[in-house]
Amino acid sequence: MLTHVAAASGAPSSTLVLSADALPEGEEELCGALRDATDWLCERGLDDITKIALIAPSRHPLFDLDYRFVQVLPGAVNGFDFRGSCGHSILASVVVASRLGWLPKLAPEHRVRVRVTNNNDRVVCEVDESVRDRTTFTVHFLRQQEPRLDSLLPDGQVLTGLSTSEGGIRVSQVSAGNPYVFVAATDLGVRDVDELFGDSARLYESLSEIRRSAAVHAGLPAEGAFPKVAALLPDGDATLAVRALSVPSWHPTIALTGAVCLGAATKIEGTTPHSLAGSAARPGVPLTIRTPGGSTVASAAVSGSRPSSTLSWVSVPHKEVVFRGAVDIDSLRPHTRKDELLCL
């Protein structure tokens, strides 16, 4: 089976892009095929690829591409989480779909409309530049209907108390693009940006425990990929320093969906991001997000900051994708024993 690999700047992993029509529809059989694919990659030294995109030309008249994200959960037996999305992998999928001839050749001002089947998100990928194997996008995340800001709070609260081995901690849980848990870095004993960006095993474990606690609070598997988690620290007006986790390590930057979620969260009065973002908490002011791997900007179009205010879209510019090439996976078994699989 011919597959393709593309990498978005700032992502912790390249994305393996597969044609959804060439794979089983049932989740158990699909997990078996995906396990075969990841085993094949591992045998050839490509086990650092932990993101999979399943794509097909969209049958919906308003969209160009249907996209389904799969997060690989590395282990003795690889598991798979189908619950969330990945903005970097969406962009990788658009580049591959164009090379497959499913989309016109990408060129500046060309817009590709993607339907995310995991969570029903609508994503518009606007081409800024396309040169040889590199394409740069501005990405716009929007909903079918403009949601109220309070509908982005999974438990209806701007602050939620979670239990950890070190005691209770207050976090903001927000879901836009993907569900995220945002925590003030100072509440974890972090004093400055250098400490936040350092390789602290204690901070990593604290964030991992908060993420697991939030997952249990939400009724999700504690060892799954969602919700995501990030620690925040003010770094000048309208700028937040951010340290996020990926699977199974530190994220080198922040997920594209994380930038989207944080951009929306800063506009919700009373949340941790809102209280730390300075002037970026106000409608119309973009948020600069600084990470160990670079900076990005998230612009959220909102009608206000009250719970009843609405979100129109969130945009993130200057996201670059590099096409890595094709991979010919020998074969994918149509059936795999149920007790060999871990699907979440």
Side-chain angles (χ1 to χ4, degrees), residues 55-69:
I55 64 171
S58 183
R59 296 182 178 89
H60 194 294
L62 295 181
F63 298 93
D64 303 301
L65 191 69
D66 284 347
Y67 158 92
R68 185 182 187 188
F69 176 64

Side-chain angles (χ1 to χ4, degrees), residues 35-36 77-78 333 335-342:
R35 183 185 172 201
D36 291 342
V77 176
N78 283 338
R333 291 172 293 178
H335 299 283
T336 303
R337 285 172 42 202
K338 183 175 180 179
D339 59 3
E340 291 181 335
L341 306 180
L342 176 58

Side-chain angles (χ1 to χ4, degrees), residues 202-235:
R202 181 179 178 275
L203 177 60
Y204 182 89
E205 182 49 43
S206 293
L207 287 173
S208 297
E209 188 177 5
I210 289 169
R211 196 211 65 76
R212 290 192 295 268
S213 179
V216 172
H217 180 82
L220 299 174
E223 301 307 323
F226 304 98
K228 303 290 189 178
V229 65
L232 315 177
L233 197 65
D235 190 31

Side-chain angles (χ1 to χ4, degrees), residues 1 3 16 18 23 30-44 46-47 49 52 72 78 80 327 329-333:
M1 178 182 181
T3 67
L16 180 69
L18 306 174
L23 292 166
L30 176 58
C31 282
L34 295 179
R35 183 185 172 201
D36 291 342
T38 56
D39 287 349
W40 191 94
L41 292 172
C42 185
E43 290 167 3
R44 286 152 182 82
L46 299 173
D47 53 321
I49 297 177
I52 299 174
V72 180
N78 283 338
F80 305 97
V327 179
I329 296 180
D330 297 336
S331 64
L332 300 180
R333 291 172 293 178

